[in-house]
Amino acid sequence: MEPQVGPEAAALRLGWPAVLLWVSALSCSVSLPAPPPPSLVPRVKTSYNFGRTFLGLDKCNACIGTSICKKFFKEEIRFDNWLESHFEMPLDYLPSYPANYSDDSKTWRPVEIARLISKHQNEISDRRICASAAAPKTCSIERVLRKTGRFQKWLQAKRLTPDLVQGLSSPLLRCPSQRLLDRVVRRYAEVADAGSIFMDHFTDRDKLRLLYTLAVNTHPILLQIFPGAEGWPLPKYLGSCGRFLVSTSTSLLQEFYSAPPDQAADLAYQLLRILESLRNNDLNYFLYFTHVDAAMFGIFNNGHLFIRDASALGVIDKQEGNQAAARARENKDIFSCLVTGCQAELPSCEAIPEKQSLVLVCQQVLPQLLQGKFPSPVQQQIDVLLAKCGEGARPDPEVLGVASQLKDILRPLRTCDPKFAYRYPDCKYNDKF
């Protein structure tokens, strides 16, 4: 059923076709919109300007991509009703926006429209790019990036190799193997003919968008190379438009800190299982967090927990090993520091312990979720195990063993109930669920 909207939201939606018609060629050329009906001039004009700058299409091809822009144009992505009462507010400061998505304009499902980095960070990043070329603050971002030595190497490259990503600050690229980079290219959804490890079908524009995304925030790349449809605990990547990506929507984990005991136990158990799957999986990749907080995890409406923000995930290839850039410091350029915190020295690939994600989660997330939920003897056991699990000085086998004990305690505390739709009614017939 189509969501009910008020007059202000309706005016907003009327503005989207105008916005995306202007950029329907997905270029940055400027043209004038057709004049709207007189009664709607104030609304449509505000929406028009808001949409173009809001999406970041004027910055392409220093953006994520344009694969889902047609959905906006066809009004198959609409901002949620909450925008009605806030239409006059400067909405561009928010990191993400609830929206509705449809494939047929009849049935709708909730999605999230999210920035790679905050608006403030984008402004800092753009100024850095201009400053790197001694250009004015309002320089052509794309023109400056195209002239860099790194991008010129990308233009000549047939395959994405470790030397092309040396010096980028993302933890995903800290220990890049050729197998991992081939997966990035093969699964890259912003090109028409994905599936090859070679970049022959990439245009110059495609290469710049991929490089920019890898330099700023690899979250959308991780959603593409480790999709939820293949069992990875990540939301579905639906596409991008300008500097925003669209993915399936969920509730934040911190919203469940006051959940009843059986639900808290279920979520904690799922989280421990997720960390286990990141350490040991069929593809032989070791995924680890560099830092965690509750906002990085979300829950689908069927009760299934997943990683909603993958920006802090690093990847080590246990099968092929890593080809870490020994000369990474020699490859620093403007792409190496487009976000704050890029100066921080990350530990070497060999120094990442298996326990790392467990220690972080036991320190930062699980105590708030499980605190005071259960009868005294059980609660004491949980509290003791969480304290041990969060001790970074303990060796890997001890922390992994403690996590296993914690799972054993939490498992029978979960109930087989329809509210856990992701495992109901299977849990009635199989203890595995």
Side-chain angles (χ1 to χ4, degrees):
M1 179 179 294
E2 182 169 331
Q4 297 298 312
V5 296
E8 291 174 323
L12 176 61
R13 290 215 309 272
L14 285 171
W16 275 113
V19 176
L20 293 168
L21 181 60
W22 190 14
V23 293
S24 61
L26 304 179
S27 68
C28 299
S29 59
V30 178
S31 58
L32 295 176
S39 61
L40 292 177
V41 168
R43 294 295 185 199
V44 173
K45 182 178 180 181
T46 303
S47 172
Y48 182 90
N49 295 329
F50 163 79
R52 184 174 190 274
T53 57
F54 169 77
L55 285 173
L57 282 165
D58 56 333
K59 301 293 185 179
C60 282
N61 293 297
C63 61
I64 316 172
T66 53
S67 61
I68 209 166
C69 289
K70 287 183 179 179
K71 284 285 184 184
F72 287 100
F73 174 73
K74 294 167 67 176
E75 298 184 53
E76 291 180 344
I77 296 178
R78 301 176 180 178
F79 285 103
D80 211 348
N81 295 349
W82 70 270
L83 282 179
E84 293 180 40
S85 59
H86 301 284
F87 187 80
E88 300 298 339
M89 292 176 61
L91 299 168
D92 55 357
Y93 71 90
L94 295 174
S96 62
Y97 303 79
N100 293 302
Y101 174 99
S102 176
D103 288 317
D104 56 11
S105 298
K106 296 179 181 178
T107 56
W108 298 83
R109 65 180 186 270
V111 295
E112 181 178 64
I113 303 174
R115 299 177 182 274
L116 281 191
I117 53 176
S118 69
K119 180 178 184 293
H120 179 63
Q121 280 295 310
N122 267 324
E123 292 170 351
I124 293 175
S125 173
D126 291 346
R127 286 198 296 267
R128 283 179 178 171
I129 293 170
C130 292
S132 71
K137 290 182 180 180
T138 55
C139 74
S140 168
I141 305 298
E142 179 176 350
R143 187 176 297 117
V144 172
L145 294 180
R146 281 180 173 272
K147 290 181 179 179
T148 60
R150 187 189 293 269
F151 185 66
Q152 291 303 309
K153 290 181 181 179
W154 273 63
L155 288 178
Q156 302 302 317
K158 299 291 186 181
R159 193 174 184 183
L160 184 59
T161 51
D163 61 293
L164 294 176
V165 297
Q166 286 177 6
L168 299 186
S169 61
S170 167
L172 171 65
L173 304 172
R174 180 63 177 172
C175 314
S177 68
Q178 188 59 59
R179 186 170 74 114
L180 178 63
L181 296 180
D182 286 345
R183 190 173 180 86
V184 169
V185 172
R186 192 170 63 248
R187 299 296 185 94
Y188 185 51
E190 293 300 317
V191 294
D193 301 314
S196 172
I197 64 173
F198 297 102
M199 297 192 290
D200 297 329
H201 57 296
F202 278 50
T203 63
D204 294 1
R205 176 186 63 191
D206 296 329
K207 289 185 175 182
L208 182 56
R209 290 174 179 176
L210 176 56
L211 175 55
Y212 178 84
T213 306
L214 290 173
V216 172
N217 187 333
T218 54
H219 170 70
I221 302 299
L222 281 153
L223 301 193
Q224 294 168 56
I225 65 177
F226 299 121
E230 296 177 9
W232 295 92
L234 294 165
K236 183 177 181 179
Y237 176 81
L238 297 171
S240 61
C241 187
R243 289 182 167 180
F244 279 81
L245 70 133
V246 182
S247 61
T248 47
S249 178
T250 60
S251 301
L252 296 176
L253 178 59
Q254 59 258 47
E255 295 175 13
F256 293 82
Y257 279 173
S258 58
D262 62 335
Q263 191 170 25
D266 185 78
L267 293 173
Y269 183 84
Q270 286 191 71
L271 184 48
L272 292 172
R273 286 289 301 273
I274 283 176
L275 298 186
E276 185 177 343
S277 71
L278 297 184
R279 292 194 311 273
N280 301 295
N281 49 74
D282 292 341
L283 292 182
N284 232 0
Y285 287 113
F286 169 38
L287 284 72
Y288 64 93
F289 284 100
T290 57
H291 64 275
V292 299
D293 59 63
M296 292 181 173
F297 303 97
I299 293 92
F300 287 121
N301 56 13
N302 65 356
H304 207 175
L305 182 111
F306 75 106
I307 301 166
R308 67 181 296 272
D309 179 2
S311 59
L313 275 179
V315 180
I316 295 175
D317 189 339
K318 296 194 293 183
Q319 176 176 306
E320 193 172 287
N322 69 79
Q323 300 169 30
R327 304 186 309 276
R329 293 182 181 178
E330 300 174 15
N331 273 352
K332 296 292 184 181
D333 60 7
I334 185 57
F335 287 102
S336 303
C337 202
L338 292 181
V339 293
T340 57
C342 55
Q343 299 88 353
E345 286 294 328
L346 295 174
S348 67
C349 305
E350 294 76 13
I352 304 296
E354 280 194 87
K355 67 185 178 186
Q356 176 155 310
S357 297
L358 273 171
V359 171
L360 292 171
V361 165
C362 288
Q363 289 175 346
Q364 306 294 332
V365 179
L366 290 182
Q368 290 89 337
L369 182 62
L370 298 174
Q371 184 177 16
K373 296 287 185 181
F374 309 99
S376 181
V378 175
Q379 187 68 54
Q380 288 176 356
Q381 283 182 289
I382 290 175
D383 292 344
V384 169
L385 290 175
L386 283 178
K388 290 181 179 179
C389 176
E391 291 178 11
R394 289 180 179 271
D396 282 10
E398 283 190 27
V399 175
L400 298 179
V402 167
S404 180
Q405 293 177 52
L406 188 55
K407 278 173 52 187
D408 291 341
I409 292 175
L410 292 171
R411 184 169 182 167
L413 297 175
R414 306 183 305 156
T415 57
C416 186
D417 189 277
K419 67 183 176 183
F420 305 116
Y422 78 95
R423 57 182 175 88
Y424 185 89
D426 298 324
C427 56
K428 295 173 65 175
Y429 313 109
N430 191 329
D431 290 341
K432 184 177 73 171
F433 299 99

